Amino acid sequence: MDESIENIFRNMTSSIFKDRHVLSNTFIPSKLVARDEQIRTIAEKMYPVLEGGSPQNAVIHGNPGSGKTVVMKFVSQLLMKEMETRGIVNKVKTVFIRCEETNTPTRILYKILQAINPLSTLPPIGLGTEHYYNAIWKELRYTKLSLIIVFDEIDKIKEDSLLNNLCRYDEDEKADSRQFISVFGLTNDLGWLDNLDARLRSVLRATKIVFSPYNADHLCEILSDRVPLAFHENAVHEDVIGFCAAYSARDDGDARRALLLLQTSGMIAQQRNEKMITKIHVDAALSEVDKSHYSKLLSESTSSQKLILLSLICLTRYATEKISTGLLYSEYSHFVRLTGTDQLSIQRVSGLISQLETAGFLVTTTRKGRKGNSRILTIDSAMLSLDALILSDPLLNGLSEAYYNIVGVRQKQLQGRFTCMVGSSHL
């Protein structure tokens, strides 16, 4: 074996990165930008803990990347420090649960139990929820602990009964009168709390806290604070922060996306053995980040939504006219017949188009015509390479061969039209 292979890691150095963790979602900065009001509001809800009371439940709304999670962790850390100063740190425990990954009652209860007692012998699956409730109640009574549970993406929880049971812990006759289980929910769904069952909403008694999107200036400040910690000196061109902030401000002010774009730009510069990140690297990173972003969104979409997007991708590539809802529906109808699945009405498809626009897959504009208004649909160029991912859906997998045959035919037709145009221009 070549000696250089044996020492491969020792020989690797980076003139770009100093500490990549600073750019990750788990990093909690010492200063948070444009969130003083939200920090104060959440702190006010938690403050009763310091006076022997229970926090007020809250649901925190905001777009992805608006700082909900980092603010919640930041305030929780401040609370724990103050509790330690006052000597009450062993009376309250904060538990963070990511509901995108842990969303069933059994998994959530198991995670809570493990947070209270990591030595618990109950298995993660295979038992009814009553076993986990009984074990948690027993541990809380024994330890005299109270819980602040933070549900990140609370709207992903599959059963309302879980929140109902947790919020009613103080009604347990065997519980200490000072004990509580408090709930803080984080969600991207602005209507989640309002759409809850009225009885659960009454039990939860949650305050709504709204996080507005970051603007370009906020994102510039966030990135500027991270750059000296994450990168070597002079590794980032002065224009790069502004480019990353502007791109991300355009997409609902997502700070996580801005940080990912900056990190990906650095990785591309490093792969090219260049010592400074420039706009060239940001442009290259933008395409990669967009694909990753859309891939994640696709994983959460229904088969019908994917079929509509596949139709739009095909039309975007080969249509010679602007894509209206009617043209898209015609294309969708053709594809749905090939899958053998039920065809949705044009009204239902129109509704799904609106949902896809809200999710960020496409943009619609209104065009006035003699027969009334129509919607014109466009998608980001990064979506055009995701047809294979859409076709990997088990319900659409049988469409692959027919789809690529159609694509091949239309590509030849497009080339033929181009050849005719070139030929006529020489006449």
Side-chain angles (χ1 to χ4, degrees):
M1 183 184 292
D2 193 313
E3 187 178 341
S4 64
I5 295 296
E6 292 183 0
N7 298 315
I8 188 167
F9 289 110
R10 191 180 306 164
N11 296 331
M12 284 182 177
T13 58
S14 173
S15 61
I16 300 290
F17 291 103
K18 183 164 60 177
D19 185 355
R20 296 194 193 206
H21 174 62
V22 173
L23 302 172
S24 72
N25 294 335
T26 56
F27 177 75
I28 302 175
S30 58
K31 182 190 81 173
L32 298 180
V33 174
R35 289 294 176 253
D36 288 358
E37 180 185 343
Q38 288 82 359
I39 290 171
R40 287 193 185 95
T41 303
I42 294 170
E44 286 169 0
K45 305 306 172 191
M46 289 185 163
Y47 178 76
V49 172
L50 301 174
E51 296 181 337
S54 59
Q56 183 179 351
N57 297 337
V59 174
I60 300 168
H61 299 265
N63 290 340
S66 58
K68 302 183 298 296
T69 303
V70 72
V71 166
M72 198 67 221
K73 289 182 176 180
F74 181 83
V75 177
S76 297
Q77 285 185 355
L78 293 179
L79 177 66
M80 291 302 151
K81 284 180 183 178
E82 186 61 26
M83 288 172 61
E84 190 172 347
T85 300
R86 301 191 187 196
I88 54 176
V89 72
N90 294 323
K91 295 183 179 179
V92 180
K93 190 173 190 66
T94 302
V95 182
F96 276 81
I97 297 175
R98 292 187 62 202
C99 301
E100 185 177 25
E101 301 167 351
T102 308
N103 55 15
T104 65
T106 300
R107 289 180 178 178
I108 290 171
L109 292 170
Y110 176 77
K111 188 150 189 173
I112 294 170
L113 179 60
Q114 287 291 302
I116 303 169
N117 179 10
L119 300 179
S120 171
T121 58
L122 257 65
I125 55 173
L127 298 176
T129 55
E130 69 274 9
H131 294 279
Y132 298 97
Y133 281 119
N134 290 336
I136 291 169
W137 293 175
K138 183 178 178 181
E139 289 290 344
L140 291 179
R141 289 195 295 265
Y142 175 74
T143 60
K144 303 297 183 185
L145 263 179
S146 290
L147 298 179
I148 297 174
I149 306 177
V150 181
F151 292 106
D152 201 342
E153 299 200 58
I154 193 171
D155 53 290
K156 298 288 197 300
I157 295 176
K158 292 192 173 179
E159 291 184 24
D160 289 348
S161 60
L162 176 89
L163 293 174
N164 184 67
N165 292 333
L166 292 175
C167 290
R168 289 181 177 275
Y169 171 71
D170 58 359
E171 297 176 11
D172 185 342
E173 294 178 356
K174 297 180 181 179
D176 187 291
S177 61
R178 288 182 176 271
Q179 282 184 284
F180 61 82
I181 295 179
S182 178
V183 169
F184 284 78
L186 316 183
T187 176
N188 304 328
D189 183 352
L190 293 173
W192 181 79
L193 183 60
D194 297 328
N195 294 329
L196 274 185
D197 178 83
R199 288 168 295 182
L200 178 56
R201 203 162 57 241
S202 175
V203 171
L204 194 58
R205 298 193 301 276
T207 301
K208 185 187 290 187
I209 302 172
V210 178
F211 279 48
S212 56
Y214 291 115
N215 61 33
D217 289 339
H218 297 150
L219 294 173
C220 272
E221 190 175 349
I222 290 169
L223 296 179
S224 296
D225 288 344
R226 305 282 183 103
V227 163
L229 302 174
F231 299 98
H232 289 297
E233 190 174 358
N234 298 322
V236 181
H237 189 276
E238 60 183 9
D239 293 337
V240 163
I241 291 175
F243 286 131
C244 291
Y247 284 134
S248 301
R250 180 191 65 187
D251 296 318
D252 295 329
D254 188 335
R256 282 183 297 195
R257 190 170 187 275
L259 290 164
L260 178 60
L261 184 57
L262 182 58
Q263 183 178 30
T264 307
S265 301
M267 291 167 63
I268 291 171
Q270 186 165 282
Q271 289 164 5
R272 296 177 180 178
N273 294 318
E274 293 170 348
K275 295 183 178 181
M276 179 180 283
I277 306 170
T278 66
K279 185 178 182 296
I280 293 172
H281 306 118
V282 178
D283 288 338
L286 191 61
S287 177
E288 289 190 23
V289 169
D290 280 342
K291 286 180 184 178
S292 174
H293 171 70
Y294 288 129
S295 296
K296 183 178 183 300
L297 289 176
L298 279 173
S299 69
E300 301 169 353
S301 302
T302 66
S303 296
S304 293
Q305 289 172 325
K306 291 175 184 176
L307 197 56
I308 291 168
L309 287 171
L310 188 69
S311 305
L312 185 54
I313 288 171
C314 200
L315 286 171
T316 301
R317 279 180 174 158
Y318 306 113
T320 57
E321 58 186 294
K322 294 192 177 194
I323 304 167
S324 64
T325 303
L327 182 60
L328 177 65
Y329 187 72
S330 176
E331 185 81 345
Y332 158 80
S333 301
H334 178 61
F335 282 137
V336 82
R337 285 193 293 271
L338 292 172
T339 65
T341 55
D342 293 334
Q343 182 172 329
L344 302 177
S345 68
I346 190 167
Q347 290 81 8
R348 180 67 182 127
V349 168
S350 183
L352 290 178
I353 289 171
S354 297
Q355 291 178 13
L356 292 168
E357 182 175 25
T358 301
F361 282 112
L362 55 88
V363 175
T364 67
T365 54
T366 302
R367 181 177 66 179
K368 293 183 178 180
R370 281 179 291 181
K371 296 182 179 180
N373 296 340
S374 61
R375 285 195 294 180
I376 302 301
L377 317 175
T378 56
I379 54 172
D380 193 297
S381 58
M383 281 290 297
L384 296 177
S385 61
L386 295 179
D387 45 4
L389 182 61
I390 293 173
L391 289 165
S392 67
D393 184 313
L395 292 177
L396 305 181
N397 194 251
L399 180 60
S400 293
E401 185 176 351
Y403 172 78
Y404 287 116
N405 284 339
I406 291 168
V407 166
V409 169
R410 290 185 181 173
Q411 193 163 7
K412 287 180 181 178
Q413 290 173 342
L414 193 65
Q415 289 172 344
R417 283 197 296 269
F418 178 75
T419 303
C420 288
M421 288 171 62
V422 172
S424 63
S425 68
H426 290 293
L427 294 177

